[in-house]
Amino acid sequence: MEPSDIDDLFKVKLEEAHDTHHREMMDGKPFVWSAVQKNMDKTLSLNWYQLAAAVLLVLIGTYIFTMPLKKQNKEVALLSQKVDLLQHNYLAQHELLLSKNKEVQSLVAELKNVEQILTELAEERQIAQKKVIIYRTDTIYQKQIEYITVVPDTIIQYKDYKTLEETQVTKYAIAEISNQDIDNEIYPSFASRNKDQKVERIKVKFLSGNRR
Amino acid sequence: MLSEEEIVKRCRSLDRHAQEFLFNHHYKELYLIAMRYLSDHHNAEDVLIQSFTKVFKNLKKFTYRGSGSLGRWIRTILINESIRFLNKRNLLQFNEDLMHLDQQNQAADGLQQMQAKDIMKLIERLPTGYRTVFNLYVIEGYAHKEIAQMLGVSENTSKSQLRKARNQLMNDINKEKNYGTI
């Protein structure tokens, strides 16, 4: 007999073994079924837990992921506000600066005008050095300072008085000057006088009790 | 009476009555198969619990291919769980002792005379390695190449284990015959 034939015999015989271990089989059946049901219930509840855990993980993951993004967005928004503020301030300052520049320019222009005027005035009129000359008249010395308008480049001397432009002041001055003796000049002395200087002659009268 | 396909559909919907029907329909057959592999009632019950749980959990992945396909699928799950159980407990040992082959032809008559439950008991008494290969080759119809892959052994080991299983069974049958029990 071939081994395969014997194998077939075994197979046929085992297919007939329905009643083998019948008692133990039936005794264990309820236990097996209840254990299977428990496993299935555990699986179902586990699925709920798994689902809940998965959802929670997703939420936590999303929160963790979006937190830095939100923070960055806030910082960007703040920076943007600051930039806007700076830009606004810059524009305002720029306008202010422009207006100030205009003012400065107008002031500079005015200053130039003034300088021009002053220059012109300075050229027109030169303030000569006033020299005080004290004359002695009689016995009464009275210091009286009279301001006489001096014509530029004109030296007022005794002999030249006629050439002066006749104003009210110069008339008086000339009259005074013509009556004076040059020897009565006590200040400054004749020796110290410089002919080239522009000299203003001043008549001085000393009044008793009114010395100054 | 519901068809097999309808039962599968209801079990997928977690219909407890359909699940119980499926359990009752296949319990006896699977119990005997488990006993052939494990030769212990408590171990067989543990493996049955694992197998049925796996069946109900994975029914969504099962594709119904006609009558009998569900039974074959469930049996495959049970056999795999039985082998996994034996491996986990380090019970799957492959004995390489040499055995005499002459008893084979003489025991053929004895085999035909023996009752099924006695042959079942003889198979259960085999060493784990012999028994597993014998069950996979003779009863389930797996090739040696497939058995070698399932058990993690070589084809030659599978062949030698089968040969030894046959020899031992024949010896045992002869003993029964000589003792006058058959």
Side-chain angles (χ1 to χ4, degrees):
Chain A
M1 206 175 208
E2 294 296 322
S4 58
D5 297 329
I6 295 175
D7 291 343
D8 292 337
L9 274 173
F10 273 112
K11 207 171 177 179
V12 167
K13 284 287 179 181
L14 285 169
E15 281 170 6
E16 296 168 4
H18 302 295
D19 296 328
T20 314
H21 306 299
H22 181 79
R23 190 176 62 84
E24 293 90 349
M25 190 195 308
M26 289 299 125
D27 287 346
K29 191 175 178 182
F31 164 73
V32 172
W33 174 236
S34 67
V36 169
Q37 280 185 307
K38 273 184 191 172
N39 284 348
M40 291 306 293
D41 292 337
K42 212 187 286 182
T43 307
L44 281 171
S45 60
L46 267 176
N47 283 341
W48 277 112
Y49 282 129
Q50 283 173 348
L51 190 66
V55 167
L56 197 65
L57 277 171
V58 166
L59 286 171
I60 291 170
T62 309
Y63 177 76
I64 290 170
F65 181 72
T66 55
M67 267 302 285
L69 287 175
K70 279 184 186 173
K71 201 177 171 184
Q72 277 179 5
N73 283 345
K74 267 187 191 173
E75 286 172 6
V76 166
L78 273 170
L79 284 170
S80 175
Q81 277 180 4
K82 281 182 183 175
V83 165
D84 288 338
L85 193 65
L86 281 170
Q87 202 167 6
H88 178 72
N89 285 346
Y90 165 75
L91 289 171
Q93 293 297 324
H94 187 64
E95 281 179 17
L96 192 66
L97 193 66
L98 285 174
S99 67
K100 291 288 181 190
N101 277 344
K102 279 183 186 171
E103 281 182 34
V104 164
Q105 281 170 4
S106 65
L107 285 172
V108 164
E110 276 184 40
L111 192 67
K112 280 183 182 173
N113 282 338
V114 168
E115 277 179 2
Q116 184 71 27
I117 293 167
L118 285 174
T119 307
E120 287 170 3
L121 284 173
E123 284 172 1
E124 284 175 11
R125 212 181 293 177
Q126 287 180 342
I127 301 173
Q129 192 176 10
K130 292 182 183 157
K131 199 166 183 180
V132 175
I133 303 173
I134 302 173
Y135 286 97
R136 183 183 64 206
T137 57
D138 296 327
T139 59
I140 299 170
Y141 294 95
Q142 185 180 7
K143 180 179 178 185
Q144 188 177 352
I145 300 172
E146 293 178 354
Y147 291 96
I148 303 170
T149 303
V150 178
V151 177
D153 296 326
T154 306
I155 300 170
I156 303 172
Q157 293 185 354
Y158 180 77
K159 61 181 181 178
D160 293 333
Y161 72 90
K162 286 180 185 175
T163 63
L164 292 176
E165 186 180 345
E166 289 192 11
T167 62
Q168 283 291 344
V169 177
T170 51
K171 274 185 188 173
Y172 178 74
I174 292 166
E176 290 296 325
I177 289 167
S178 64
N179 292 330
Q180 294 300 324
D181 189 354
I182 204 158
D183 294 332
N184 289 329
E185 186 179 311
I186 60 172
Y187 177 80
S189 65
F190 182 78
S192 66
R193 230 185 317 152
N194 188 355
K195 286 184 184 180
D196 293 329
Q197 279 184 346
K198 296 182 180 70
V199 176
E200 186 180 33
R201 299 180 190 242
I202 303 170
K203 188 175 84 175
V204 177
K205 291 181 181 175
F206 291 97
L207 298 171
S208 61
N210 269 344
R211 292 187 184 250
R212 291 184 184 175
Chain B
M1 183 69 176
L2 293 168
S3 66
E4 207 172 52
E5 199 173 0
E6 186 62 29
I7 296 287
V8 168
K9 204 182 279 184
R10 290 193 182 191
C11 285
R12 281 179 185 153
S13 315
L14 304 178
D15 182 348
R16 201 44 71 91
H17 294 294
Q19 288 176 346
E20 193 171 2
F21 179 84
L22 191 70
F23 173 80
N24 289 332
H25 186 71
H26 292 280
Y27 176 75
K28 192 174 175 181
E29 180 197 359
L30 295 180
Y31 189 93
L32 293 172
I33 294 171
M35 280 303 294
R36 276 198 281 114
Y37 282 91
L38 303 167
S39 66
D40 180 82
H41 295 285
H42 297 293
N43 293 343
E45 283 171 5
D46 289 342
V47 169
L48 279 166
I49 292 167
Q50 293 300 321
S51 301
F52 274 110
T53 306
K54 211 164 189 176
V55 163
F56 293 132
K57 275 186 186 176
N58 293 312
L59 259 175
K60 287 178 184 174
K61 297 177 191 174
F62 170 71
T63 310
Y64 186 76
R65 291 193 179 99
S67 177
S69 61
L70 178 63
R72 283 193 294 276
W73 183 68
I74 294 173
R75 268 198 301 278
T76 307
I77 289 174
L78 177 75
I79 290 164
N80 290 334
E81 285 299 315
S82 300
I83 294 169
R84 193 172 290 123
F85 182 91
L86 291 170
N87 273 324
K88 202 174 174 183
R89 304 274 179 108
N90 289 323
L91 297 173
L92 203 56
Q93 312 257 335
F94 297 99
N95 194 346
E96 297 292 338
D97 290 340
L98 292 171
M99 289 193 69
H100 202 54
L101 298 170
D102 293 338
Q103 310 293 332
Q104 198 167 319
N105 290 330
Q106 294 175 13
D109 295 335
L111 178 59
Q112 283 173 342
Q113 292 168 17
M114 276 185 84
Q115 289 186 5
K117 61 176 182 179
D118 296 325
I119 292 170
M120 182 79 175
K121 284 178 183 173
L122 289 178
I123 292 171
E124 287 170 13
R125 282 212 296 258
L126 287 172
T128 314
Y130 300 176
R131 186 172 71 239
T132 307
V133 174
F134 181 84
N135 280 320
L136 288 170
Y137 186 87
V138 174
I139 312 301
E140 315 305 336
Y142 285 102
H144 284 295
K145 191 177 180 181
E146 290 169 319
I147 293 168
Q149 279 181 352
M150 285 167 77
L151 301 180
V153 297
S154 65
E155 275 187 61
N156 287 336
T157 303
S158 175
K159 288 173 185 173
S160 69
Q161 294 294 303
L162 176 65
R163 202 162 44 241
K164 287 165 191 172
R166 284 186 188 131
N167 289 336
Q168 180 139 349
L169 282 169
M170 291 298 126
N171 285 335
D172 290 342
I173 290 169
N174 283 330
K175 280 179 193 172
E176 295 292 325
K177 191 178 173 184
N178 293 337
Y179 290 148
T181 55
I182 51 170

